[in-house]
Amino acid sequence: MSEATTTPAAPAVAKPPAKRRISLALQGGGTHGAFTWGVLERLLEDDRLEVDGLSGTSAGAINGAMLVQGLLEGGPEAAIAALDRFWRAMALRLSMSPVQATPFEKLVWGHDLTWSVAYRTFDTLSRVLSPYQLNPFPIDFNPLRDALTDSIDFERLRMEAKAPRLFVSATSVRTGKPRVFTRREITVEALLASACLPQVFKAVEIDGEPYWDGGYLGNPALWPLYDQGGPPDIILIQLNPQVREEHPTTVSDIVNRLNEITFNGSLMAEMRAIDFVQRLLDAGRLEQPRYRRLFIHLIEDEDRLRGFKLSTKFNGDWEFLCMLRQYGREAAEAWLAEHFDKLGRESSVDIRTRFL
């Protein structure tokens, strides 16, 4: 009788850690969106993260669409390449804009266009004449249109089944209500509507409805990220400074501060609602899973962005965009180093202190 043979046990192999699924909320802010570009680039480089959904407005919406487009093309590396390709294309188009500073003006005032002759002329005209008076033709010239058309396969973006959720906010001119376009509804017109400043561009019509910049009512809209499921972690990338200690006294500084307050207003209201629900959950007055806990995170660099005037949101100089991109990368790197382990466990920003 032969001895029974036994098969040696296979060596234990450690399973790779599960990726942390996150949602991203991307503010708008003109060419300051290059800061968000840098943040997204750094987050995409971290293989511990997986983007489940994005909600964006204006430049945030465009960054979000480019990220999803890239993921569809070939994962995080392709998304990084898509973002880089878009911002290079925008810099090239904006370099031919008459609003950009001359070499002498750049030498004197740096990245600030406030005292540029071309920008001052544009700013003055926009306060006296509307886009409809300045441009009587039916087609509204917008350098974004060609850049978006060249960079995004909208049919694939809408129809691809396996892709992150994407939400784009715009403001209905007629009703004064927010409109949130889902990924399956996104067209070049939806992105242009989300970035349509009414003093600069004619309202963008979609299905007979005129739309302006989404920042007035959702900058960005947070509720789509948790209303339809998704991970509990929402990372907000904020461009518009909340706090300015100095009292604005010049016309340009007053307009700049009013712009910041206006485009942070809807965000403050949403954060207040989220904090209210979280406190009710803490007190046991709401039942899960109908109401669930959210973990809010914030990536920003107010100290640096506060130093830029309103005019710089129109500055498409490549050197300036690369500087903002680097600031974004550094802010994301600092956040990852300090707060990554809080994902799935707790918020890394105190909502009451920051937003209420």
Side-chain angles (χ1 to χ4, degrees):
M1 183 174 178
S2 60
E3 292 185 9
T5 58
T6 59
T7 303
V13 178
K15 294 182 179 180
K19 289 179 179 284
R20 307 289 179 91
R21 293 169 60 241
I22 59 173
S23 294
L24 296 171
L26 315 178
Q27 266 203 337
T31 57
H32 288 190
F35 175 88
T36 302
W37 167 29
V39 172
L40 296 179
E41 185 177 75
R42 180 62 190 88
L43 295 181
L44 286 165
E45 291 171 353
D46 195 316
D47 58 10
R48 300 172 297 174
L49 298 173
E50 179 182 349
V51 178
D52 175 88
L54 304 99
S55 179
T57 298
S58 192
I62 294 167
N63 275 319
M66 291 308 310
L67 185 148
V68 175
Q69 170 74 27
L71 290 178
L72 292 176
E73 291 175 355
E77 289 185 2
I80 290 171
L83 285 161
D84 182 88
R85 188 166 60 245
F86 170 78
W87 281 98
R88 287 180 183 275
M90 278 306 300
L92 181 61
R93 284 175 167 84
L94 290 174
S95 67
M96 296 179 282
S97 167
V99 176
Q100 301 307 300
T102 65
F104 174 76
E105 290 170 336
K106 182 179 176 181
L107 182 65
V108 176
W109 293 299
H111 303 298
D112 185 6
L113 301 179
T114 303
W115 302 109
S116 160
V117 173
Y119 179 81
R120 296 300 297 176
T121 302
F122 159 76
D123 185 55
T124 301
L125 286 175
S126 68
R127 296 173 192 275
V128 178
L129 300 173
S130 79
Y132 298 86
Q133 294 169 307
L134 290 171
N135 178 16
F137 300 102
I139 299 177
D140 194 17
F141 170 76
N142 190 329
L144 266 177
R145 181 180 292 277
D146 289 341
L148 291 171
T149 302
D150 293 344
S151 302
I152 298 176
D153 181 345
F154 285 95
E155 183 69 18
R156 184 178 183 183
L157 187 73
R158 290 192 297 270
M159 301 308 296
E160 187 75 33
K162 295 182 179 180
R165 299 173 301 146
L166 177 62
F167 305 98
V168 169
S169 298
T171 299
S172 169
V173 179
R174 183 179 66 86
T175 67
K177 296 179 180 180
R179 168 71 188 274
V180 177
F181 297 89
T182 66
R183 181 167 60 84
R184 297 189 181 279
E185 298 174 304
I186 290 175
T187 61
V188 66
E189 284 76 18
L191 292 179
L192 290 174
S194 184
C196 180
L197 290 172
Q199 302 92 338
V200 181
F201 301 111
K202 297 177 182 179
V204 178
E205 289 198 9
I206 301 174
D207 298 328
E209 282 286 325
Y211 291 96
W212 282 339
D213 195 296
Y216 296 109
L217 297 174
N219 195 20
L222 302 181
W223 61 265
L225 295 172
Y226 59 81
D227 186 58
Q228 300 181 22
D233 291 288
I234 298 176
I235 301 178
L236 167 67
I237 302 173
Q238 190 170 14
L239 298 181
N240 298 289
Q242 281 182 232
V243 177
R244 281 191 183 272
E245 298 297 342
E246 71 276 12
H247 178 195
T249 56
T250 67
V251 172
S252 61
D253 286 347
I254 291 171
V255 171
N256 185 36
R257 187 57 185 148
L258 182 60
N259 178 280
E260 291 169 347
I261 292 172
T262 300
F263 281 91
N264 276 329
S266 60
L267 175 66
M268 305 276 277
E270 278 209 78
M271 286 296 188
R272 187 176 295 112
I274 289 173
D275 176 71
F276 179 65
V277 171
Q278 301 307 299
R279 285 189 287 117
L280 290 179
L281 284 169
D282 290 339
R285 297 173 63 183
L286 292 179
E287 295 183 0
Q288 299 191 54
R290 183 179 179 185
Y291 297 95
R292 63 194 183 99
R293 188 160 303 284
L294 297 175
F295 304 124
I296 305 299
H297 312 278
L298 175 66
I299 299 179
E300 50 82 23
D301 191 346
E302 281 209 0
D303 289 342
R304 282 169 161 169
L305 293 182
R306 196 182 290 119
F308 296 123
K309 302 288 187 179
L310 177 63
S311 69
T312 61
K313 291 185 177 182
F314 296 90
N315 191 340
D317 179 72
W318 179 243
E319 180 185 336
F320 179 59
L321 298 180
C322 287
M323 181 178 69
L324 289 171
R325 172 197 188 187
Q326 183 59 32
Y327 289 170
R329 287 187 59 87
E330 291 172 6
E333 181 67 40
W335 185 88
L336 287 168
E338 186 174 356
H339 299 299
F340 177 84
D341 289 337
K342 293 179 181 176
L343 289 173
R345 295 173 45 232
E346 60 180 309
S347 294
S348 61
V349 61
D350 186 328
I351 297 178
R352 305 209 78 192
T353 300
R354 174 80 189 196
F355 297 102
L356 275 62

